[in-house]
Amino acid sequence: MKFIILFLSLFLTSCSNYGQLTFVTKLPKKIKENSGIAYYGNDRAWFIEDHGNEDILYQVDFNGELIKEFKVKNATNNDWEDLTTDKKGNIYIADTGNNENKRKNLVIYKLPNPETEPGDHIDAEKIYIKYPDQAKFPPTKDNLIYDAEALFHYNNSLYIVTKNRTIPFNGKTHIYKVPDTPGTYDAKLIASFVPCDTAKVCQVTSATISPDNKKLVLLGYGFIWIYSDFKGDDFLNGKLQTIDTGATTQLESICFKNEKSLLLSDEERGKTGQNLYTYTLN
């Protein structure tokens, strides 16, 4: 009886980590610090890892099997934090992780569609960016707003959503815009907002836009924010839906599987995480 009670306790605790998310599979050990996800179909997704890991793009199926690895040429993983794709199939890696807000080498890598690339190497083009409103590297503690872990593509432009690290935490988040073509650009600030004001929980860790371009989804640690009914790239003036997923793991990446469902993944932390999940939109 004691064994049964212990088993049920562990089972319920494990489930509670996922909240409303549906577990799909455990991810391979090679990508335990996954930080970005992209999906082209066929029950396989692409992943990257963040700071301190290899310059590799990984493909994993929904059974957790590592299918393919691409060494990304002409690129360095300073702190890869998100993936996004465009309508032509290109994939973009956001090397915009900036925990201490002191980097001056922020870049987004543009790669051809990995689904159709042969071999084990893939070439990257570079989109260099800087925030013209950042004057100090690093800024004061109450202005640590230049880290970014979220990237999405919309109408021939890339949009960067920052991650707030201010002390004390104020939740201020920026959305910047740059062209999706190689070059060097000042990122254009298009909006500022506060998702919520609780430290950690209210930091944006990933972003994605629906295949029909009608829903922008931002991910936090347990929260999903969905903007819809917006005009052009005036995203924040659309209708907002806030979802508390109930998940307690370190959610780091999100993308659309189709118009009605999302794929999410988390990093390994202790004995939790390193999983792939789905979430069905209402």
Side-chain angles (χ1 to χ4, degrees):
M1 178 63 72
K2 288 182 179 179
F3 174 79
I4 295 173
I5 293 173
L6 177 61
F7 173 80
L8 288 173
S9 176
L10 291 172
F11 176 78
L12 291 172
T13 300
S14 175
C15 288
S16 68
N17 287 335
Y18 309 157
Q20 299 183 57
L21 306 181
T22 300
F23 175 83
V24 176
T25 189
K26 189 78 173 178
L27 295 174
K29 291 182 179 180
K30 277 193 173 184
I31 52 173
K32 64 182 180 180
E33 293 185 350
N34 67 89
S35 58
I37 184 173
Y39 184 68
Y40 290 88
N42 300 322
D43 288 348
R44 297 178 178 185
W46 294 91
F47 296 88
I48 52 170
E49 289 192 290
D50 58 16
H51 173 72
N53 292 290
E54 296 187 74
D55 315 328
I56 292 179
L57 183 64
Y58 301 92
Q59 187 186 46
V60 179
D61 69 17
F62 285 9
N63 293 316
E65 296 295 323
L66 183 60
I67 304 300
K68 194 164 189 176
E69 299 180 34
F70 273 125
K71 172 71 175 178
V72 183
K73 296 174 65 178
N74 195 34
T76 300
N77 187 348
N78 286 296
D79 197 355
W80 292 2
E81 288 292 357
D82 209 0
L83 286 174
T84 192
T85 59
D86 63 23
K87 300 299 183 184
K88 297 177 182 178
N90 298 304
I91 191 167
Y92 301 82
I93 301 173
D95 190 354
T96 54
N98 192 15
N99 290 9
E100 297 179 358
N101 282 228
K102 63 182 183 181
R103 284 185 62 186
K104 295 184 179 181
N105 61 342
L106 301 174
V107 61
I108 299 170
Y109 295 112
K110 182 177 183 178
L111 286 61
N113 187 337
E115 296 278 323
T116 58
E117 284 291 298
D120 58 2
H121 290 71
I122 190 167
D123 291 316
E125 297 180 296
K126 298 179 181 180
I127 301 169
Y128 293 102
I129 64 170
K130 64 177 181 178
Y131 305 118
D133 49 322
Q134 182 175 2
K136 295 182 179 181
F137 298 82
T140 56
K141 291 183 178 181
D142 61 352
N143 199 37
L144 294 172
I145 55 175
Y146 299 104
D147 185 19
E149 296 188 1
L151 180 75
F152 65 96
H153 185 277
Y154 175 75
N155 285 355
N156 302 316
S157 293
L158 292 162
Y159 293 82
I160 304 149
V161 187
T162 62
K163 181 177 183 179
N164 187 289
R165 292 188 178 275
T166 57
I167 303 171
F169 184 81
N170 61 30
K172 187 176 182 182
T173 302
H174 289 334
I175 301 179
Y176 291 94
K177 175 182 180 180
V178 294
D180 66 0
T181 53
T184 301
Y185 305 99
D186 283 347
K188 180 181 178 182
L189 179 62
I190 67 163
S192 297
F193 67 111
V194 177
C196 56
D197 58 8
T198 303
K200 191 69 172 180
V201 173
C202 300
Q203 294 174 313
V204 177
T205 62
S206 187
T208 186
I209 199 159
S210 60
D212 64 5
N213 282 344
K214 292 183 178 180
K215 294 184 181 70
L216 170 63
V217 176
L218 306 179
L219 177 66
Y221 292 117
F223 279 84
I224 296 173
W225 299 280
I226 303 175
Y227 291 91
S228 58
D229 298 330
F230 47 80
K231 294 182 179 179
D233 62 4
D234 191 11
F235 305 111
L236 302 184
N237 283 326
K239 179 182 177 182
L240 172 62
Q241 179 185 7
T242 300
I243 298 170
D244 182 352
T245 67
T248 59
T249 62
Q250 187 169 325
L251 293 169
E252 290 285 347
S253 58
I254 193 168
C255 71
F256 273 87
K257 182 182 180 185
N258 51 50
E259 297 289 358
K260 295 183 178 181
S261 64
L262 298 160
L263 293 172
L264 305 92
S265 64
D266 49 16
E267 284 193 14
E268 180 188 56
R269 281 294 177 268
K271 296 182 179 180
T272 66
Q274 197 186 325
N275 299 323
L276 177 65
Y277 311 92
T278 59
Y279 179 82
T280 302
L281 299 172
N282 293 327

